[in-house]
Amino acid sequence: MPCAEGSETCGKNGMLMKKRVLIVDDSTLVHEIFGSILTEAGFEVLHAEDGLKAINTAFSEMPDLILLDVWMPKINGYQVCRLLKDHSATKDIPVVIITSQEKKGFVADPRKWSFQTGANGYLSKEESERLIPTVQIFLAGDRVREKPHGYYEPMTENEILSALSRLLDKQLYVDVTRLKELDERKNAFVANVSHEFKSPLAIIQGFLENLNDGFYGPVSDPQKEVIQIGLKTAKRLNRLVHDMLDLSQIEAGKMKMANEKVDLADVVKSVAESFSVETGRKKMAVHLEIEPGELALWGDKDRLTQVVINLFSNAVKYTPEEKSITVRISREADRIRMEIEDTGPGIPPENLEKIFDKFERLEAERQEGTGLGLPIARDIVKLHGGRMRVESEVGKGSKFIVLLPVGVAAA
Ligand code: ADP
């Protein structure tokens, strides 16, 4: 039977030799089926039944191509591929990943993942009729087969695993550096865009306020209604812009923190006062349980006020009319404990951590907001060396607990 195109190669002595394909799979059936198709087409077939043998055979035999299964015990195909592609001796051996449809493993898109690990091709085991054409693509043209110099000492499993771990560390370093770079660029972009929004927004807001106040002539009631909607929207956008600026500053490590003596009890009282119209309108009872004695700490008063505003405004926003909000402040050794407890809808256990993620909004359809208030509040608390967490019971309410170290005055 004539050999398939591309199934022969030139040995060092100029003789034509069969090209060698290494099949790596833990299923004997795959070895039998793929092996016989390849042998019939004129290829020489080598076999390895796990990742460890695959690596050792690749180094000792230098096959012309490797067909590599993914899910094998100990070392999987993706890891084998990464190792071979990272080594100068084996990086040019074409690797075709072979997978079966029903054994996808943890990877959502095995084809994409195969290429990301450095594989040259991808073949589904169900498409055995594509085996020879696929192999031919990578074996086209003559390549003088370079056998390794001298005797190749097989690597032990431990040696391979530690090589793999070094490789993954290296890869992680590259990935993390790149992610950091992208993150920095994204932060700069968000900061620029938010900054550019600020002035035009202030101008629009100013004009609307003047219009509303009758500065440009009498305003009818229906016109006032429309202006109010415009003002409300501009204010909302303004809040979003400020939140995004704050967050990009925090993430870039550029948020400047003052170090002043802050009386947290005073902060809480003035925030509660500033919400009195809203809490009054909702007929809410606001209880301030402030422990006697000094409740001061060293930090940034404006930023700490922002934390209290974000938590208190959420409590007001998410608590229904005629219910209550309680704020407690006490001293615990060298820190101040603040609790803001509401009697609102509560937060389901599976969402307790999620709500601190950027743009996460569980009540999005019902209440206005940006989904940035909590992440900013938690970051500011962290910048003060403190911690924030939430306890909640659905149907009963939520309690946000903030622990802030008293800190020391700047030298
Ligand atoms: P938002 O601007 O949407 O209020 P936040 O970051 O402050 O953004 O809050 C994120 C989400 O957490 C809210 O959309 C809401 O689903 C939930 N949440 C925050 N505070 C409370 C609370 N006191 N009670 C119930 N859910 C809350």
Side-chain angles (χ1 to χ4, degrees), residues 64-201:
D64 297 289
L65 183 137
I66 301 173
L67 290 172
L68 185 58
D69 180 33
V70 175
W71 302 114
M72 298 175 291
K74 292 180 191 161
I75 304 170
N76 70 44
Y78 295 133
Q79 293 168 325
V80 172
C81 186
R82 276 186 198 273
L83 270 175
L84 295 178
K85 290 295 177 185
D86 188 59
H87 200 287
S88 57
T90 48
K91 70 178 176 20
D92 292 328
I93 302 176
V95 173
V96 176
I97 298 271
I98 48 172
T99 60
S100 58
Q101 299 287 20
E102 75 275 14
K103 255 174 91 184
K104 274 189 174 180
F106 65 87
V107 178
D109 185 348
R111 175 183 291 271
K112 200 167 154 202
W113 194 251
S114 301
F115 291 116
Q116 272 170 359
T117 58
N120 304 72
Y122 174 89
L123 183 72
S124 164
K125 285 182 196 170
E126 286 78 12
E127 302 172 300
S128 56
E129 74 285 357
R130 286 192 52 232
L131 176 63
I132 298 301
T134 304
V135 168
Q136 278 170 332
I137 291 172
F138 297 106
L139 293 181
D142 268 338
R143 189 166 64 93
V144 175
R145 184 187 295 157
E146 286 283 353
K147 283 278 277 179
H149 299 295
Y151 173 70
Y152 170 77
E153 179 107 32
M155 281 190 271
T156 63
E157 188 179 336
N158 277 349
E159 281 168 337
I160 288 180
L161 286 178
S162 69
L164 191 62
S165 145
R166 275 197 305 278
L167 175 65
L168 292 179
D169 283 351
K170 195 168 87 182
Q171 181 75 41
L172 196 65
Y173 177 77
V174 172
D175 288 352
V176 168
T177 313
R178 194 175 140 63
L179 274 180
K180 231 178 136 227
E181 245 175 57
L182 281 176
D183 208 43
E184 275 164 18
R185 268 194 268 164
K186 180 214 74 188
N187 272 338
F189 174 76
V190 172
N192 282 342
V193 172
S194 309
H195 199 76
E196 290 301 316
F197 265 75
K198 256 170 66 175
S199 316
L201 205 55

Side-chain angles (χ1 to χ4, degrees), residues 243 310-311 314-319 342 344-347 355-357 359-364 367-376 392 397-398 400:
D243 280 356
N310 288 358
L311 296 180
N314 277 349
V316 176
K317 188 161 63 170
Y318 295 107
T319 304
D342 63 53
I347 301 157
I355 56 168
F356 292 99
D357 292 343
F359 299 107
E360 190 66 51
R361 309 200 54 229
L362 313 174
E363 298 277 318
Q367 299 289 347
E368 243 181 41
T370 60
L372 293 176
L374 286 180
I376 290 174
S392 187
S398 311
F400 286 81

Side-chain angles (χ1 to χ4, degrees), residues 223-238:
Q223 282 171 336
K224 272 205 165 181
E225 245 176 67
V226 177
I227 297 169
Q228 283 304 328
I229 296 172
L231 266 174
K232 212 172 147 201
T233 312
K235 274 186 192 153
R236 203 172 145 190
L237 199 54
N238 205 12

Side-chain angles (χ1 to χ4, degrees), residues 266-396:
D266 283 351
V267 172
V268 166
K269 281 182 211 158
S270 77
V271 171
E273 177 62 30
S274 68
F275 278 90
S276 58
V277 174
E278 180 67 3
T279 49
R281 192 186 59 75
K282 286 181 87 174
K283 299 188 195 86
M284 285 175 151
V286 177
H287 307 290
L288 302 187
E289 294 178 7
I290 297 172
E291 193 183 78
E294 199 182 56
L295 294 164
L297 60 108
W298 289 90
D300 187 311
K301 187 172 178 189
D302 288 344
R303 293 298 174 193
L304 289 169
T305 305
Q306 196 176 354
V307 172
V308 179
I309 289 178
N310 288 358
L311 296 180
F312 197 87
S313 65
N314 277 349
V316 176
K317 188 161 63 170
Y318 295 107
T319 304
E321 288 189 5
E322 296 182 19
K323 297 271 185 153
S324 67
I325 296 173
T326 306
V327 185
R328 293 182 199 91
I329 316 179
S330 56
R331 191 168 167 138
E332 270 183 2
D334 55 355
R335 60 188 190 183
I336 308 278
R337 179 187 178 98
M338 175 173 69
E339 295 180 0
I340 298 189
E341 184 170 6
D342 63 53
T343 44
I347 301 157
E350 67 275 16
N351 291 329
L352 285 179
E353 266 310 303
K354 259 200 214 159
I355 56 168
F356 292 99
D357 292 343
K358 283 182 279 180
F359 299 107
E360 190 66 51
R361 309 200 54 229
L362 313 174
E363 298 277 318
E365 291 103 57
R366 280 191 270 155
Q367 299 289 347
E368 243 181 41
T370 60
L372 293 176
L374 286 180
I376 290 174
R378 186 184 252 188
D379 282 344
I380 293 175
V381 169
K382 271 193 201 154
L383 287 170
H384 281 82
R387 281 183 288 136
M388 181 195 291
R389 66 188 161 84
V390 60
E391 289 172 3
S392 187
E393 205 177 319
V394 175
K396 287 205 165 165

